[in-house]
Amino acid sequence: MNSFLNKKILLIICGGISAYKSLELIRSLKKKGALIKTILTKSAKEFVTPLSISSLSQEKVYDDLFSLENETEMDHISLSRWSDVIIVAPITANTIAKLSSGSSDDLASTVILASNKDIFLVPAMNVRMWEHPSTKENVIKLKKYGFNFIGPEIGDMACGEFGEGKMSEPRKIEEKIEMYFKNFSKNKKFKALVTAGPTHEYIDPVRFISNKSSGKQGYALAKSLSKKGFETTLISGPTSLKVENDINLIRVETAEEMFHATQNSLPTDVAIFSAAVGDYKVREISKEKIKKESKFNLELEKNVDILNYISNHNSLRPKLVIGFAAETNNLENYSNKKLNEKNCDWIIANDVSNKKIGFNSDFNEVSIFYKNHKNEKISFKSKSEISDEIVEKIINHLN
Ligand code: CTP
């Protein structure tokens, strides 16, 4: 099957002698049925013309962030949302530096910064520029941010030197993107469920018991799953976080609501229980606001353990059940205990006594405890990078 048919590709061309190769890329992708919109940076126009590109892509070429005409027809946000994938070919040392510092002073960098799509960077530059420590550092940073690189290759350069820095050939770029689309459609058959955030266990109409969970790790996991093609449902306790359109978000407040929403959303292929569900609820919630008195006792009772219930259920249990463990000590012992007692396939554990990670932080460091093999550690990274790595492991497991 042709993986490119009707795929929406946003191609960003930066200034470099290899920009001519992008014309060949457009021609070939068009032939395979892809829809291509193109952004040219200012310096790219020194190497290829908007006219040659629009003739090949049969689409308008975008080049000016502040063009009134462009912004009314398709603004910088819509351009990224429109695309299935973004390719930047060639990307120069300058644009790499801009992206690594989060700068957005033209349409190309603004679209990339605002993007929620997978982005492939195809560098082309002189060998010394590629090997310069500042470029190297920027590339490491971009890889950490989740950008994918194609090339560069080793060979003779337009400037007469030899080394690493040559832009990959259009055929190679096409192969990589084809693989990306193939994997994406393979994952499309998978359904995922994620629980996230805290719960509110009400005492009276205005008071509740809760915890410090921000939901950030769960939301990041849902985003990574959805980005990779999974049909994703996120069941979230109260948070102020937002989600992308293609995630099915179910907002709940209490553990009981989370339990019902989870049952109604199953079965799925994978379920990740990252929510910090209140272990107890108030036995009798007062209908009226409780007034101050000299003595006040709260009687609590246990909430259903959602993870435990689902992982032991005959028909609702997903193929892969992943629980979370937030611990302050004895991480390995407690995690293995939860793995067995809660009948999980994996437990993802983090040390919440470390202030730099865990609750409300944008960073995390986790250990994954498996039922059938040795545990693994994912070292200090942003929660979105951690999620991407976990989702890669999930994909490998399901395939
Ligand atoms: N969990 C759940 N439903 C509950 C309680 C917990 O689904 N009512 C899930 C969490 O989403 C998480 C895992 O169980 O995946 C955490 O296990 P838990 O035993 O609740 O951890 P702690 O609350 O940290 O337990 P303890 O306080 O005993 O360490």
Side-chain angles (χ1 to χ4, degrees):
M1 206 189 86
N2 177 2
S3 315
F4 286 105
L5 190 64
N6 293 329
K7 284 290 182 310
K8 297 183 191 121
I9 297 174
L10 179 62
L11 177 64
I12 298 176
I13 305 178
C14 303
I17 187 74
S18 348
Y20 74 92
K21 289 187 184 173
S22 298
L23 298 179
E24 172 55 22
L25 183 64
I26 298 174
R27 196 193 60 75
S28 174
L29 293 175
K30 266 317 274 185
K31 224 167 128 188
K32 295 191 165 141
L35 306 166
I36 301 170
K37 290 192 192 290
T38 314
I39 297 175
L40 280 186
T41 64
K42 195 162 162 237
S43 53
K45 281 194 271 181
E46 305 290 332
F47 296 92
V48 286
T49 67
L51 182 62
S52 56
I53 290 172
S54 63
S55 312
L56 285 170
S57 65
Q58 289 147 25
E59 282 273 2
K60 201 170 138 44
V61 174
Y62 298 81
D63 59 359
D64 186 358
L65 177 57
F66 303 109
S67 142
L68 192 60
E69 186 200 347
N70 282 356
E71 285 285 309
T72 40
E73 183 205 291
M74 183 165 270
D75 62 38
H76 57 285
I77 305 288
S78 321
L79 263 173
S80 142
R81 299 297 179 268
W82 167 86
S83 63
D84 293 316
V85 72
I86 298 177
I87 309 173
V88 192
I91 184 162
T92 55
N94 181 41
T95 305
I96 286 179
K98 270 210 256 185
L99 296 186
S100 83
S101 66
S103 147
S104 57
D105 62 349
D106 62 0
L107 183 63
S109 50
T110 307
V111 166
I112 294 172
L113 201 64
S115 167
N116 59 347
K117 298 294 157 54
D118 278 320
I119 302 178
F120 287 83
L121 306 179
V122 192
M125 66 195 75
N126 168 275
V127 56
R128 303 267 166 264
M129 291 170 89
W130 177 250
E131 284 176 355
H132 196 281
S134 61
T135 308
K136 277 203 151 40
E137 225 168 82
N138 291 334
V139 169
I140 291 172
K141 222 164 150 190
L142 292 183
K143 284 185 179 166
K144 267 190 165 179
Y145 293 160
F147 287 91
N148 306 288
F149 278 79
I150 304 177
E153 316 294 330
I154 297 171
D156 289 316
M157 308 199 150
C159 58
E161 292 188 19
F162 178 88
E164 193 172 15
K166 240 172 107 76
M167 177 171 153
S168 297
E169 292 304 317
R171 192 174 38 78
K172 179 166 175 190
I173 302 171
E174 221 176 282
E175 277 169 14
K176 294 270 182 190
I177 303 297
E178 188 172 13
M179 187 60 75
Y180 168 78
F181 281 137
K182 277 193 175 146
N183 286 337
F184 190 86
S185 31
K186 250 203 255 169
N187 295 338
K188 266 210 154 341
K189 65 175 190 275
F190 293 129
K191 283 188 178 178
L193 177 143
V194 181
T195 68
T199 60
H200 286 178
E201 306 304 328
Y202 277 90
I203 299 169
D204 69 12
V206 295
R207 302 181 179 96
F208 52 77
I209 304 170
S210 191
N211 59 62
K212 281 172 70 177
S213 167
S214 65
K216 284 180 181 170
Q217 186 66 72
Y219 275 63
L221 279 161
K223 187 174 171 189
S224 299
L225 286 160
S226 161
K227 212 168 70 174
K228 287 289 177 199
F230 285 68
E231 191 184 320
T232 308
T233 299
L234 173 63
I235 300 175
S236 169
T239 72
S240 53
L241 303 173
K242 301 220 160 32
V243 292
E244 309 291 340
N245 294 342
D246 32 17
I247 296 173
N248 171 28
L249 173 68
I250 303 174
R251 286 201 186 275
V252 295
E253 269 199 277
T254 63
E256 211 163 293
E257 287 169 9
M258 188 172 273
F259 179 47
H260 292 307
T262 304
Q263 285 174 296
N264 293 338
S265 307
L266 290 169
T268 55
D269 298 281
V270 54
I272 308 177
F273 295 85
S274 70
V277 187
D279 286 328
Y280 294 92
K281 65 179 172 190
V282 177
R283 188 179 287 273
E284 261 184 62
I285 304 171
S286 168
K287 287 204 173 58
E288 279 135 26
K289 191 179 163 205
I290 299 170
K291 288 289 168 197
K292 283 194 277 304
E293 278 172 38
S294 55
K295 266 194 174 171
F296 177 59
N297 290 315
L298 262 186
E299 203 177 331
L300 302 178
E301 63 183 14
K302 267 208 161 155
N303 269 321
V304 176
D305 190 310
I306 308 171
L307 166 60
N308 206 352
Y309 178 90
I310 299 299
S311 65
N312 287 299
H313 198 284
N314 282 342
S315 55
L316 292 181
R317 191 191 200 281
K319 282 195 271 282
L320 181 58
V321 173
I322 304 174
F324 263 71
E327 307 293 349
T328 54
N329 56 319
N330 272 341
L331 194 84
E332 181 156 1
N333 283 351
Y334 287 140
S335 302
N336 279 321
K337 195 163 169 254
K338 278 178 195 167
L339 187 69
N340 293 323
E341 284 177 358
K342 298 205 182 195
N343 191 26
C344 298
D345 300 297
W346 306 357
I347 282 279
I348 299 174
N350 55 345
D351 176 357
V352 284
S353 69
N354 180 346
K355 286 262 175 347
K356 279 200 242 148
I357 59 172
F359 290 132
N360 212 19
S361 167
D362 288 323
F363 297 88
N364 209 350
E365 185 171 280
V366 300
S367 296
I368 310 182
F369 294 87
Y370 299 98
K371 196 172 222 167
N372 298 324
H373 50 102
K374 210 177 149 304
N375 56 319
E376 281 181 296
K377 192 167 175 172
I378 305 182
S379 55
F380 188 79
K381 286 189 178 79
S382 71
K383 284 187 173 168
S384 73
E385 289 169 66
I386 298 247
S387 302
D388 285 345
E389 278 196 36
I390 294 171
V391 170
E392 274 313 315
K393 292 179 195 296
I394 292 172
I395 292 170
N396 288 338
H397 180 93
L398 293 176
N399 283 317

